[in-house]
Amino acid sequence: MKQLISAIALLLFISTNSFAQKKTISSDTIHVDGICEQCQKRIENAAYIKGVKHAAWNVQTKQLIVVYSPKTSLDKIEHSIAHAGHNAGNIRATDEEYKKLPHCCAYKEELSADK
């Protein structure tokens, strides 16, 4: 009887493990255009979509470090940030989205002044 219970327990353990999903967490760095701490809050908030575990944007380097699960993708994160008005990776904010930013966050003007 003990062997039967042990065999059933082992079978349940094996079947449970075989159906368990492997959760792989990814980490990437994205260049995101912005200027100030107000931009930082907006960018980080826009990056926190479902599946994002951590998002931190550096004002000086313009780099966003994002940690996310398979529930989302880098492309979805970049689109969310662009929708908030900031160019992110290969995704560009539309003029309409960009114009919604406060005047102090007009990074395109800063970019053209750097050229």
Side-chain angles (χ1 to χ4, degrees), residues 33 42 78-102 105-108:
D33 291 325
R42 186 180 313 100
E78 289 176 347
H79 274 90
S80 179
I81 296 166
H83 184 66
H86 294 272
N87 295 337
N90 295 323
I91 309 300
R92 300 289 169 245
T94 65
D95 287 339
E96 183 179 298
E97 292 162 337
Y98 175 76
K99 288 177 184 175
K100 291 178 185 176
L101 295 176
C105 296
Y107 61 85
K108 287 183 182 179

